[in-house]
Amino acid sequence: MKGFRGWMMVLAVALLAAGCDGPAEEGEGSVGGEAPVLDDEGEEGSKARAEEELPVAPTPQVEGPAGELAARVFEAHGGQRWPQVEELGFRFVVKEQDEETFAATHDWKVWEGVDRVRWTDEEGVEWDVTVNLDDATAEEASRDGDPIEGEALEIAGKGAYTRWVNDVYWLLMPLKVFDPGVSLGHEGELEREGETLEVLELSFEGVGLTPGDRYLVQVEPESGEVRAWEMHLQGDRPPQLVFWDDYQELGPLRLSVTRNFEGSERQIIFDELRVK
């Protein structure tokens, strides 16, 4: 998965296309002492027009069935509207038999390229790290509430960046199908529970933390929504089918917030979601 710089390139293209220079500074775009004037459209019309003028990113064009399916996935989950997301907060939660076994909290300032990540590791150590996503360095961090610096700060930054890469990909994979280094393939159709699904293959050309991974993404062809993915992770681990459930509207995005693992009671849940 690519780093934050690629996301900002998409944002920059969208802002330029919309004729914007980015978020306004405080006080910008207003005239002191003058009340806003509504035009003949009224308040609702003005609101609708403002929504239409929000920045959007063009859907990348990749020829062939795989590119067409990827475009439907990208658009169905809000990929074109990703430049509108200034901040994204969520918890990445792992559950076993309805018991929470791990959680990481993210307060991601998307436009700034910074994420504050809080989690407890396997040894019970509590980490609180603010990481710069351009270079995976920690701006500040604490361990069990105590500030750290030097080599410990460097290690904390890498740990937080790894958490961001993993957790964001689980949540936002549909928005990242056109990332640099991603290879797309169309693996035909399959039938499951009376539904015909198309299969989009995602593989990686030397990018991300685990470039040997491969995903077979099962897509409802009309809506473009992901129903499941079959994970083929690098190493000797067997494939694992994970269902994508519980779709929600989250600001300009539409995302699944529950992952159910086939043949087990394991789940990944996204909660405390906040989109600015």
Side-chain angles (χ1 to χ4, degrees), residues 4-26:
F4 176 77
R5 188 178 301 277
W7 291 73
M8 289 304 291
M9 288 175 63
V10 173
L11 174 61
V13 170
L15 291 174
L16 288 172
C20 301
D21 293 322
E25 299 294 334
E26 183 177 356

Side-chain angles (χ1 to χ4, degrees), residues 213-226:
D213 292 351
R214 186 169 68 96
Y215 298 88
L216 299 178
V217 183
Q218 300 178 8
V219 181
E220 199 289 309
E222 294 299 322
S223 67
E225 290 183 355
V226 174

Side-chain angles (χ1 to χ4, degrees), residues 23-100:
E25 299 294 334
E26 183 177 356
E28 190 174 305
S30 62
V31 179
E34 294 186 6
V37 178
L38 293 179
D39 56 23
D40 293 338
E41 298 176 12
E43 182 176 356
E44 290 301 320
S46 297
K47 179 180 178 182
R49 191 176 69 252
E51 290 176 349
E52 290 176 357
E53 293 172 353
L54 289 170
V56 294
T59 302
Q61 300 298 310
V62 176
E63 293 184 358
E68 294 171 2
L69 181 57
R72 293 201 297 274
V73 170
F74 180 81
E75 293 176 357
H77 297 81
Q80 294 173 304
R81 297 181 297 280
W82 171 252
Q84 300 169 18
V85 178
E86 182 178 351
E87 297 180 12
L88 176 60
F90 66 93
R91 282 205 319 151
F92 172 93
V93 180
V94 180
K95 289 187 175 183
E96 301 280 356
Q97 298 180 339
D98 288 330
E99 180 180 349
E100 187 173 305

